[in-house]
Each structure stands twice: as structure tokens, then as C-alpha cells.
């Protein structure tokens, strides 16, 4: 079934964007003409946008790169400083492993919620409300209440990194015992009071499947409302594109990484393909993002709630949809499904496209995504 990305198929949006850019140009032109004493030829004046770029470490275990088009570097610096401050704040709020003075974060919640209603920061409440709404739609794949199982895997990877000779993978019975304490229904939210309580004292929440995308979306919404709406945020495997670049291109080029051991795409580098898009998110889940190899077996970070071991249906899956939190949730969900099930699932969703890399290296994508893929002839200009 041929379906289209909202961002490419919505000519109104594209026209509206052009119109806004044109309006901006006209307003500036008018302003310049009003101070005509300084100008000899008003008709020749035009707005010059420049691309700027910045990068920072320290949040969400990844480097975050932001590019944007602005008339002045000072505009870019101001908008991206605010973005960075938001990422720092959200990183602390969603951190499951560290406490921060004065912040009722996920770590504090996991420590205290078994004893009764525990206050949480508004952003954490908002994320948990979102998850309560969306998780049940993921066909039993994503479960943020699986933290006690995910922590065993996390500790195993950490121990291996510290001392690879004396580590063995978690035993099935230990995992099964932990999995008895993973019912999201036991997480009770009270949005009015701003508190969360766990009815199961051994339950642990892990929001790693959605937190980065959720954070990127909040930052993107702020930037879209700023005076620099033309931007792109790259947070590891999590890309959020704002309005189109202001250099004549219609789309940003977003490269998809080739999983190790898979033949690279036509571009010849370690890039599998490039997607040309604007006003949307591109989020990838893959077995190469966080893993260790022990006795020839790869143990990565996305755990099947059925087997309680790393899922092996796919090498990677990329989701394209406007909302970055949704894209992040779906990328993890799709990684936990066989390709056929995932394709049927995505085809039932509105405004979602996807691209899969199977264990044998085969690359498949939804029909609607081909219009945006360099491998199918797409460019940044059409
Ligand atoms: P992502 O890279 O977005 O697919 O998210 C992977 C992260 O989600 C892992 O590092 C874990 O923190 C978490 N995770 C792994 N398996 C699951 C699962 N079945 N349900 C919910 N979260 C998971
Ligand atoms: Mg995810």
C-alpha cells in the first residue's frame, strides 16, 4: 500500500512554510526601506540566513548536535543555549541511576515509590502519563515497568566492561523472578497531587525506550516557537528536524547508520541510506548501539519481554513520524517484533513510516518512505 509521509505529502504545510519565509523577507525588506537613508537600492535587499552548528556531551549518554539557520550567530547561540539547558534538566529528571539535589527524579521515584505516593517533577509525570497512554498499543513489546529485568542486563554489561573474564550472562530463572514485578498497572499516577506510587515493592521503572525522544520533542517544540524554527537536532540515533533548511533546499539529509557487519549503502561510507525530510523525526533502535560480545554472542540492550533476553529479529529499525517521543516508543516496539508483524503494525498507524535491517543485512522500507530515500532517487530539492 502506497502511503505518504505527512511532511512530504502536505503541500499546504510546505506552502505555509514558504509563505512565512516570504513574509519574513518582506517585513525585513520594508524595515530596510524605511531606513532608506542608508540604502541606495532597496529593491536589492534580501535576508541572508547562515547555517550554524553546535555540539555538547553529558546528557542522555550521547553527543547532541544542533544545526540551525539564523540571520545572526547571537540568535543561534541564544536558542541552542536554551535547548542545551532543557536537555540538561530533562536528563536529570529521567536519570534512573543518580540523585540530584532538589530534583524529584526517576532515581528518587524508584527508591521511594514502594513506600507510598512520591512527588515527581512535572516533566516526569507528563512522560509517565504519555507512556500509560501509548505503551498498551505496542502489542506487548515495550514495558517500562520491566526495570528489574533491564537492570540485571545493565549490571551484566557494566560488570563485563569492568572485568570481562569473570562474567556470565544472567540466568533464566533470575530473570524470570525479576519479571514477576513488571506490571505497569502497579504504577499509580496522581497528576493532581503530582505523585506516583508503586503497588509492587520490587518494581523498577526504566524509561530508556522513550526518554531521549520525549526530551528531543520538548526541545524541538520550544525551538519551533522560537525565532529559529529551521533546525535539526541529532541526539545519537534520535533525529528531530524542524522546518526546512533556509538555503534553498526543501529537506534536511538524514543519514542512517549501517549496523556493523552489514554492507554499506550506495554512498559507500558507513551510511546505509539518506532520508530527505523536514518537520519530522527519524529514530533508530539497533543492536549495535549498546552491547557487549561474550563467547561470540552479542548481548545488546533491547530485551524481549517474552524471552527476557536480547531480541534477535532485526539488526536495526528506523521510524519516521512527526513526534519524536512517539518515534522513540515505536522504534523500540518494532525492534521487538519480526519484520512481518512490524510492517502490518506500522501500516495500521497514521503518519508513520519505517525502515528495517534484517539479520541477513537485507534492507526493507514502507512504500511511503521510498519517496524520501536517496536509494530510491530522492534528493534535498524535490
Ligand atoms: P531504544 O534504543 O530507544 O530502543 O531504547 C532501548 C532502551 O530501552 C534500553 O537501553 C532500555 O533502557 C530500555 N528497554 C529495553 N528493552 C525494553 C523493553 N522491552 N521495554 C521497555 N524498555 C526497554
Ligand atoms: Mg526507543
Amino acid at each position: 500500500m502506497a502511503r505518504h509521509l505527512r511532511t512530504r505529502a502536505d503541500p499546504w504545510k510546505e506552502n505555509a512554510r514558504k509563505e512565512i519565509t516570504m513574509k519574513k523577507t518582506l517585513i525585513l525588506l520594508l524595515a530596510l526601506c524605511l531606513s532608506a537613508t542608508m540604502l541606495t537600492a532597496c529593491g536589492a535587499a534580501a535576508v541572508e540566513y547562515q547555517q550554524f552548528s553546535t555540539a555538547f556531551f553529558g546528557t542522555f549518554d550521547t553527543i547532541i548536535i544542533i544545526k540551525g539557520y539564523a540571520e545572526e550567530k547571537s540568535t543561534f547561540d541564544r536558542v541552542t543555549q536554551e535547548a542545551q539547558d532543557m536537555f540538561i534538566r530533562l536528563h536529570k529528571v529521567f536519570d534512573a541511576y543518580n540523585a540530584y539535589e532538589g530534583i524529584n527524579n526517576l532515581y528518587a521515584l524508584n527508591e521511594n515509590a514502594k513506600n507510598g505516593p512520591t512527588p515527581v517533577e512535572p516533566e516526569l509525570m507528563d512522560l509517565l502519563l504519555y507512556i500509560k497512554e501509548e505503551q498498551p498499543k505496542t502489542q506487548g513489546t515495550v514495558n517500562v515497568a520491566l526495570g528489574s529485568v533491564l537492570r540485571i542486563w545493565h549490571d551484566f554489561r557494566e560488570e563485563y566492561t569492568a572485568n570481562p573474564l569473570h562474567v556470565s550472562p544472567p540466568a533464566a530463572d533470575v530473570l524470570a523472578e525479576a519479571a514477576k514485578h513488571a506490571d505497569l498497572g502497579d504504577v499509580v499516577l496522581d497528576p493532581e497531587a503530582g505523585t506516583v506510587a508503586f503497588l509492587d515493592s520490587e518494581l523498577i521503572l526504566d524509561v530508556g525506550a522513550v526518554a531521549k525522544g520525549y526530551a528531543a520533542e520538548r526541545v524541538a517544540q520550544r525551538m519551533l516557537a522560537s525565532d529559529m524554527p529551521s533546525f535539526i537536532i541529532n541526539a545519537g540515533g534520535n533525529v528531530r528536524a524542524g522546518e526546512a533548511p533556509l538555503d534553498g533546499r526543501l529537506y534536511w539529509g538524514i543519514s542512517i547508520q549501517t549496523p556493523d557487519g552489514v554492507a554499506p549503502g550506495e554512498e559507500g561510507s558507513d551510511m546505509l541510506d539518506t532520508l530527505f525530510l523536514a518537520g519530522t523525526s527519524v529514530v533508530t533502535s539497533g543492536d549495535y548501539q549498546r552491547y557487549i560480545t561474550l563467547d561470540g554472542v552479542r548481548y545488546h540492550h533491547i530485551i524481549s519481554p517474552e524471552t527476557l533476553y536480547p531480541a534477535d529479529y532485526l539488526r536495526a529499525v528506523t521510524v519516521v513520524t512527526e513526534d519524536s517521543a512517539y518515534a522513540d516508543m515505536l522504534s523500540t516496539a518494532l525492534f521487538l517484533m519480526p519484520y512481518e508483524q512490524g510492517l502490518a503494525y506500522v501500516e495500521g498507524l497514521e503518519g508513520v513510516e519505517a525502515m528495517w535491517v534484517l539479520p541477513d543485512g537485507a534492507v526493507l522500507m514502507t512504500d511511503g518512505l521510498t519517496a524520501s530515500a536517496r536509494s530510491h532517487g530522492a534528493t534535498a530539492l524535490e
Side-chain angles (χ1 to χ4, degrees):
M1 185 177 53
R3 294 184 301 109
H4 298 281
L5 287 173
R6 226 185 305 170
T7 45
R8 289 186 66 89
D10 192 343
W12 181 88
K13 209 169 180 179
E14 193 57 40
N15 285 340
R17 189 189 63 73
K18 280 184 194 150
E19 214 174 284
I20 290 167
T21 315
M22 267 169 60
K23 270 187 193 151
K24 271 190 190 165
T25 312
L26 279 175
I27 290 167
L28 210 102
L29 217 63
L30 203 71
L32 285 172
C33 284
L34 286 175
S35 57
T37 44
M38 294 158 67
L39 285 171
T40 49
C42 286
V47 180
E48 286 279 324
Y49 288 100
Q50 272 180 275
Q51 190 192 99
F52 301 99
S53 174
T54 186
F56 50 92
F57 288 98
T59 64
F60 294 94
D61 294 328
T62 188
I63 180 173
I64 296 184
I65 302 165
I66 304 180
K67 290 180 186 168
Y69 281 83
E71 293 161 49
E72 305 283 346
K73 180 152 189 313
S74 57
T75 308
F76 176 82
D77 288 344
R78 171 173 43 77
V79 173
T80 54
Q81 183 59 55
E82 197 186 348
Q84 183 173 353
D85 291 345
M86 282 182 80
F87 271 116
I88 292 170
R89 154 95 185 154
L90 292 168
H91 170 86
K92 289 178 180 171
V93 171
F94 301 145
D95 191 335
Y97 291 94
N98 301 287
Y100 300 93
E101 186 72 34
I103 298 185
N104 295 316
N105 73 351
L106 184 60
Y107 173 81
L109 182 64
N110 279 329
E111 288 291 302
N112 301 318
K114 54 180 168 286
N115 302 321
T118 302
V120 293
E121 297 300 320
E123 299 97 325
L124 182 51
M125 176 61 77
D126 200 57
L127 175 65
L128 294 176
L129 285 166
Y130 178 76
I131 288 169
K132 281 264 190 181
E133 175 104 14
E134 293 298 329
Q135 177 173 302
K137 302 175 192 165
T138 64
Q139 306 192 352
T141 55
V142 173
N143 181 9
V144 300
L146 206 59
S148 47
V149 171
L150 298 174
R151 190 157 287 188
I152 292 171
W153 281 107
H154 175 269
D155 292 349
F156 161 65
R157 290 194 302 272
E158 296 274 295
E159 280 163 29
Y160 175 87
T161 310
N163 189 357
L165 293 179
H166 295 97
V167 178
S168 42
D173 57 339
V174 175
L175 293 168
E177 189 53 41
K180 288 179 186 163
H181 307 282
D183 184 352
L184 189 61
D186 286 335
V187 177
V188 182
L189 309 184
D190 185 341
E192 262 85 73
T195 60
V196 179
F198 295 171
L199 302 182
D200 181 337
S201 63
E202 289 180 56
L203 185 146
I204 298 173
L205 284 178
D206 178 324
V207 295
V210 262
K212 197 164 56 164
Y214 178 88
E217 187 60 31
R218 277 186 91 116
V219 172
Q221 288 304 328
R222 182 76 67 90
M223 290 178 74
L224 283 169
S226 78
D227 48 354
M228 196 188 72
S230 165
F231 64 85
I232 189 160
I233 303 168
N234 188 343
N238 220 304
V239 176
R240 177 56 161 100
E243 292 179 9
L246 295 175
D247 58 3
R249 288 180 294 160
L250 292 175
Y251 305 109
W252 298 92
I254 301 162
S255 292
I256 307 299
Q257 196 181 328
T258 309
D260 57 282
V262 171
E266 288 165 14
E267 292 162 59
S269 60
D270 61 350
M271 293 306 163
L272 202 56
D273 208 337
T274 298
L275 303 176
F276 294 103
L277 298 158
T280 197
S281 301
V282 179
V283 176
T284 300
S285 289
D287 72 2
Y288 56 89
Q289 290 169 334
R290 205 171 300 169
Y291 69 95
I292 60 143
T293 308
L294 182 61
D295 298 332
V297 180
R298 178 181 300 229
Y299 296 95
H300 64 77
H301 65 139
I302 309 175
I303 306 301
S304 161
E306 270 173 36
T307 66
L308 305 180
Y309 282 80
D312 56 8
Y313 298 120
L314 308 170
R315 296 298 316 279
V317 61
T318 298
V319 171
V320 180
T321 195
E322 188 171 340
D323 185 299
S324 181
Y326 190 42
D328 202 359
M329 171 85 78
L330 289 177
S331 74
T332 309
L334 286 179
F335 192 87
L336 291 162
M337 293 177 196
Y339 162 70
E340 293 76 13
Q341 184 187 344
L343 179 64
Y345 176 46
V346 168
E347 289 194 326
L349 301 172
E350 190 65 31
V352 181
E353 306 294 343
M355 174 173 159
W356 292 259
V357 184
L358 305 192
D360 65 2
V363 180
L364 299 156
M365 64 179 83
T366 50
D367 290 346
L369 197 55
T370 58
S372 307
R374 175 175 276 163
S375 60
H376 288 71
T379 71
L381 297 173
E382 55 193 74

